[in-house]
Amino acid sequence: MLANILSGALIGIDAYPVEVEVDVAQGLPQFSTVGLPEGAVKESKDRVKSAIKNSGYDFPVRRITVNLAPADIRKDAASLDLPMALGILAATGIVGEKARRYLYMGELSLDGRIKAVRGTLAVAAAAKDWNLDGLILPQDNAAEGAAVQGLPVYPVENLAQVVMFLNDETALCAFSEPSPPITASLCHEENFSEVCGQQHAKRALEVAAAGGHNMLMVGPPGSGKTMLARRVPTILPQLDFNEALETTKIHSVSGLLGQHEALIRQRPFRAPHHTISDAGLIGGGSIPRPGEVSLSHNGVLFLDELPEFRKNVLEMLRQPLEDGQVVISRAALSLTYPADFMLVAAMNPCQCGFLGDSHHACHCTPQQLQRYRMRLSGPLLDRIDLHIEVPRVHHQDLIDNQSGESSETIRRRVELARQVQRERFHKHQLFTNAQMQSRHIRTFCALNSEGEQLLAQVTQRLGLSARSYGRILKVARTIADLSGEQNILQPHLAEAIQYRSLDRPQRH
């Protein structure tokens, strides 16, 4: 007999339908799987056989052929275990025609229990348009699947429970646990009020957050660069539903979504170690997976000790910083992962870390300083909007018990600036000033004569590239938005220029 069961598989962070066709025919006992199955799918026949037997059903001693259509796309997901088992049971008459009206995902254990799988949210989002009666998912994935409205989700614990439901021997209740609202999710342990001093750095981070700009902090060890970076998510606007859905899909595909977690409600903060590989940072592998730049989508990617990263790894950041996405090409397919993140990086001013420090002498030679700075290429620095110096904290600031502005206060100003940008760009499909292209800069960053003269002098003196020129204008536009000004004034432009410290000549 022949049976068809519907499931889903992943390609990138999106899902596509997989029709599990099962044929049970007379012949020598054999279990073969076709349709470009990879390792986890090839091994599923042993799990499926044991799960069916241990659930109390007869496993057919016949020739079994399982086809995973479409057959021209590789499939490597244990989530196909459950539909394959149901296909065998349907082909032998144990399960009726009702099985064709649902989509199934789940990894089977040998005793018939159904384990959680990756990518449930992506499959649920795609299945909404597939004209089904519902999704049958593992219990631990129910909240994640139910985050997509419009299609009932039925959580199950074991194979026997699914079979009894399909044979109308028992009922399943659709998952209906309400998800906490995203608007009530902003609860951070860190707060900017804990940061002593560093008013200049906090102001720069506020500007960066308001416009979605990338930022590099340069300072000696212990000056608070990491402490400041970890508090950036606390001043970013909260995720809206579409951002939360897209962010959750990436983490779900990567298997990083917490158990029973429906949606990621706080902006991601990723801080990979400097020994990370290019595939770990950008994404890839024999079976492509999202990298750190995609896992920080709609959030913050923090790279501490930036010059210590391998140069080829850093250079691969150019495309996502410019395009907001990563394209991974293989012989069989090309995948695009979103990577619209805010880069916050930190580095020492020199190899020993004490260049310009008033408390420690720098022992680096000019040649060592040049080699250290040469680890960062000019094109990469051009793509970072703000370069600021973070000096050592004065001891008086450390013993002073007065707390600074809280993250909530700063975030309110950032949200007001973001609202101005949304209204400005509502016809251009942009969300922040950092996303502006040359045509938008000409339209929205016009300067008066004094501003044009000031920027021309700075460009000529520092030898700025066209990209650096544009980034100064975008930062100045953000500063004007924070000030509530419609036009970019000379003070806004002057502040934006001072945030390009690495463009100025370095002194030893």
Side-chain angles (χ1 to χ4, degrees):
M1 292 181 61
L2 181 67
N4 294 330
I5 300 293
L6 188 64
S7 184
L10 301 171
I11 181 166
I13 65 168
D14 298 316
Y16 64 95
V18 174
E19 189 174 4
V20 181
E21 302 174 335
V22 181
D23 179 57
V24 179
Q26 296 291 340
L28 294 174
Q30 183 180 356
F31 192 148
S32 60
T33 305
V34 297
L36 289 182
E38 290 295 321
V41 181
K42 289 180 180 178
E43 295 174 351
S44 63
K45 60 183 180 181
D46 297 316
R47 294 192 297 270
V48 168
K49 183 177 180 179
S50 296
I52 291 177
K53 287 184 174 182
N54 292 324
S55 297
Y57 305 104
D58 292 330
F59 187 84
V61 187
R62 299 180 186 177
R63 182 182 180 87
I64 302 173
T65 304
V66 177
N67 179 44
L68 306 176
D72 59 341
I73 302 178
R74 294 188 179 276
K75 303 163 189 74
D76 183 37
S79 60
L80 296 173
D81 287 3
L82 177 59
M84 288 171 64
L86 292 173
I88 294 173
L89 295 175
T92 54
I94 298 176
V95 172
E97 289 294 318
K98 184 179 178 181
R100 297 172 61 90
R101 304 205 304 264
Y102 296 86
L103 182 143
Y104 309 87
M105 292 182 69
E107 177 185 346
L108 289 174
S109 61
L110 299 184
D111 61 358
R113 288 181 294 111
I114 302 176
K115 299 180 179 180
V117 294
R118 296 184 293 108
T120 301
L121 183 62
V123 174
K128 184 178 179 180
D129 302 322
W130 294 350
N131 193 25
L132 300 170
D133 288 352
L135 307 180
I136 295 182
L137 303 172
Q139 181 80 43
D140 292 340
N141 291 125
E144 180 185 347
V148 179
Q149 303 295 322
L151 191 63
V153 170
Y154 298 97
V156 290
E157 296 181 355
N158 54 64
L159 177 61
Q161 185 182 10
V162 181
V163 174
M164 288 189 292
F165 167 71
L166 297 177
N167 290 335
D168 295 322
E169 298 174 4
T170 188
L172 290 179
C173 296
F175 187 86
S176 59
E177 180 180 330
S179 298
I182 294 178
T183 54
S185 64
L186 277 178
C187 182
H188 299 278
E189 294 182 0
E190 296 89 358
N191 198 296
F192 263 95
S193 61
E194 302 165 344
V195 179
C196 300
Q198 303 294 11
Q199 299 303 320
H200 174 68
K202 287 192 280 189
R203 166 63 179 177
L205 285 169
E206 179 182 341
V207 172
H213 302 290
N214 303 315
M215 179 171 169
L216 172 61
M217 295 180 285
V218 183
S223 59
K225 303 185 293 296
T226 302
M227 185 179 186
L228 287 163
R230 291 192 177 278
R231 282 153 179 76
V232 173
T234 68
I235 63 173
L236 291 173
Q238 59 194 18
L239 291 168
D240 61 32
F241 180 76
N242 290 330
E243 288 178 324
L245 198 64
E246 190 173 30
T247 303
T248 306
K249 282 173 65 176
I250 299 171
H251 285 71
S252 174
V253 167
S254 303
L256 299 178
L257 199 60
Q259 191 174 12
H260 305 298
E261 186 176 7
L263 284 176
I264 290 177
R265 295 175 174 83
Q266 295 185 355
R267 294 190 180 272
F269 179 86
R270 306 290 298 183
H273 192 260
H274 61 77
T275 57
I276 191 171
S277 66
D278 50 359
L281 184 65
I282 303 299
S286 57
I287 299 173
R289 293 280 187 266
E292 291 291 337
V293 296
S294 295
L295 293 172
S296 57
H297 178 63
N298 290 325
V300 177
L301 175 65
F302 176 50
L303 301 183
D304 199 6
E305 303 295 344
L306 187 64
E308 301 301 326
F309 285 78
R310 291 198 295 271
K311 191 165 186 177
N312 68 304
V313 173
L314 290 180
E315 293 307 305
M316 296 184 75
L317 283 172
R318 292 193 198 178
Q319 183 205 359
L321 286 176
E322 200 71 26
D323 302 334
Q325 62 182 20
V326 172
V327 179
I328 300 174
S329 298
R330 295 291 183 267
L333 78 166
S334 179
L335 300 177
T336 300
Y337 292 120
D340 187 7
F341 57 91
M342 176 181 166
L343 174 65
V344 178
M347 61 178 285
N348 294 328
C350 64
Q351 191 166 344
C352 73
F354 299 113
L355 178 65
D357 190 355
S358 58
H359 293 76
H360 297 84
C362 173
H363 300 289
C364 298
T365 65
Q367 292 77 17
Q368 289 175 324
L369 178 60
Q370 184 179 13
R371 283 197 301 269
Y372 183 75
R373 292 292 175 91
M374 287 295 290
R375 296 180 188 178
L376 304 179
S377 68
L380 178 62
L381 291 176
D382 270 353
R383 287 169 169 81
I384 300 177
D385 304 341
L386 293 85
H387 315 149
I388 68 161
E389 296 179 358
V390 183
R392 182 180 300 277
V393 181
H394 194 272
H395 73 278
Q396 187 61 41
D397 292 325
L398 293 174
I399 63 177
D400 193 349
N401 291 325
Q402 292 184 357
S403 59
E405 277 190 310
S406 67
S407 294
E408 292 76 15
T409 302
I410 300 174
R411 187 175 64 246
R412 282 194 290 269
R413 294 198 296 265
V414 169
E415 288 174 341
L416 289 174
R418 289 281 185 108
Q419 180 61 34
V420 171
Q421 293 166 55
R422 282 194 296 269
E423 294 173 358
R424 177 189 300 130
F425 300 133
H426 73 281
K427 294 182 180 179
H428 301 270
Q429 305 210 342
L430 302 177
F431 302 98
T432 61
N433 290 331
Q435 296 174 331
M436 286 192 291
Q437 304 297 322
S438 298
R439 60 185 181 278
H440 307 119
I441 294 175
R442 287 192 295 269
T443 304
F444 300 112
C445 299
L447 301 176
N448 55 27
S449 58
E450 291 82 0
E452 290 180 351
Q453 184 177 2
L454 172 61
L455 191 54
Q457 292 174 351
V458 171
T459 302
Q460 184 176 8
R461 181 176 301 174
L462 301 182
L464 299 179
S465 66
R467 184 179 284 114
S468 297
Y469 180 92
R471 293 190 182 276
I472 288 176
L473 288 175
K474 288 192 280 188
V475 173
R477 177 69 271 172
T478 299
I479 296 170
D481 292 340
L482 283 168
S483 302
E485 295 287 347
Q486 186 173 0
N487 299 317
I488 298 176
L489 304 180
Q490 195 166 355
H492 308 145
L493 188 60
E495 183 178 353
I497 291 170
Q498 73 167 344
Y499 292 142
R500 301 290 300 184
S501 64
L502 294 185
D503 290 332
R504 297 192 289 270
Q506 302 296 323
R507 296 181 180 178
H508 187 265

